[in-house]
Structures are given as structure tokens and as C-alpha cells.
Amino acid sequence: MLKLYDYWRSGTSHRLRIALALKGLDYTQESVDLLAGAQRAPEHMARNPQGFVPVLDTGEALLTQSPAIVEWLDETHPEPPLLPRGPTARAKVRAIAWVVACDIHPLGNQRVLKYLREEYGKDDAAIAAWALRWIGDGFAAIERLLADGPDGPWCWGAAPTLADVCVVPQIYAAVSRYSLDIARYPRLAGIDAAAAAHPAFQAAHPTRHPDAR
Ligand SMILES: N[C@@H](CCC(=O)N[C@@H](CS)C(=O)NCC(=O)O)C(=O)O
């Protein structure tokens, strides 16, 4: 049985829950309380030397880095596929996912915001402006990437892919933490609406997590 170590409000954990739900996989779950610093406790550092969630225990290995775990899930459980056929389409889908995973999320992570607050004395308004700056750049670029790809309702056509697995949690974070008006990004708003109506995305939502508060 797969075991997921996660935190309810973690966007990278949210990605994993979506992928697991899309694949229809059963798993057990253990929360790592990021607010209490449990990610730096020795037992979690032994799972992930970076002290991050998510971690997926496959029974044979402890997997870290959410995009790598999603690709492992896709390789070990190919249906439904999370990447399209063909190397060019696959690269395009990964590119959308990486805008989130490499260029937006790391700059808005809580540890980065905490550092800005504690080391540089930034207040809530400055922190929000920082986060929204990088979210805005990334979302504007994703809108253009989506315009060059197939029609929706998802990032790449008629079914969710790795790109949606990364994009939807980032939209949730932007709207719930910073009140971003997602209507400014019409394709992203459409993807958000598709996710809101999809059972796997509903099941994976942070508000459905056992620790949601
Ligand atoms: N690139 C990593 C990032 C993981 C990450 O930043 N996780 C956050 C939660 S979204 C975390 O565990 N933060 C704990 C901390 O910063 O102390 C991934 O995709 O798995």
C-alpha cells in the first residue's frame, strides 16, 4: 500500500493527491505539520533530506520531489495517462507544469516568505506583493502557452495532465492566500472550473483533507 506524507495546505502535496485520485489509487496518509516544524524532525529528515513534503513511500522506496513522484505514478500506473503521446506534446505539457513547479512555487514557498519577513523585515503587504509578482508573471506566460496548444477545458485538451496537476493547486494558493482574481486569466479560470467539477480534483482538495482548518 502506498503511503503519502503530506500537509493539508501544501501545494506540492495537493499535486500528489490529485495524481493519486486521477489514477484511482488507494493510499494511507500521515500528516507532517509544517506549522509545528515537524518537517525538520529527525524521522521526517530521514524520509526526505530536504525536510519537505510530500514524500511517497512506495513500499520499496521513499520518493521525493512532487513532479518526479507524479511521473513515477504515471509510469507505474499508466491509465489514465498524465502525459500526451508524442515527444513535442509531452515537452509542452511539462513546460506548463514547470512554469509552476520551477518558476512560481519556489518563490512563494512559506520558507522563502518567512525568510523575507524575518531577515528583511517585510510586512504582510510586501510579502503578498512579492508572491503575486511571480504568480502574475507565471500565469501570464501560461495563458500564452495554453493559447498555443489545443482547446480546453484542461491545459492540454480534453483530459487532465501533469500540467493541470501542477496548475490547479497554484491557482488555489493564489486565490485563497492572496485573493487573486483568476478571471484575469480566462484559460486558467476555465481549468479551475473544470477541476471544481471533477471528482478526483474534488477529492484531493485541501478543504477535504482530514487536517483542514
Ligand atoms: N520541489 C519540491 C518542493 C517541496 C516543498 O517546497 N514543500 C513545501 C510545502 S508546499 C514544504 O515542505 N515546506 C516545508 C518548509 O519549507 O519547511 C516538490 O515539488 O516536492
Side-chain angles (χ1 to χ4, degrees), residues 97-171:
W98 289 186
V99 173
V100 173
C102 302
D103 301 328
I104 299 177
H105 178 271
L107 291 166
N109 195 283
Q110 288 309 300
R111 65 184 169 277
V112 171
L113 304 184
K114 186 165 179 271
Y115 193 81
L116 289 174
R117 194 185 302 278
E118 292 177 357
E119 298 294 324
Y120 295 100
K122 298 299 175 190
D123 61 12
D124 286 349
I127 298 281
W130 164 276
L132 284 167
R133 165 76 161 76
W134 308 119
I135 291 168
D137 277 9
F139 280 6
I142 290 174
E143 282 284 314
R144 294 183 60 182
L145 293 171
L146 293 171
D148 286 343
D151 289 343
W154 298 99
C155 286
W156 202 261
T161 62
L162 172 66
D164 305 283
V165 165
C166 290
V167 159
V168 169
Q170 188 63 59
I171 296 173

Side-chain angles (χ1 to χ4, degrees), residues 38 66 152 187:
S66 58
R187 278 295 305 274

Side-chain angles (χ1 to χ4, degrees), residues 10-12 15 34 39-40 52-54 65-67 105 109 111:
S10 146
T12 51
R15 293 175 197 161
L34 301 188
Q39 70 275 29
R40 289 182 293 279
F52 299 159
V53 290
Q65 288 291 344
S66 58
H105 178 271
N109 195 283
R111 65 184 169 277

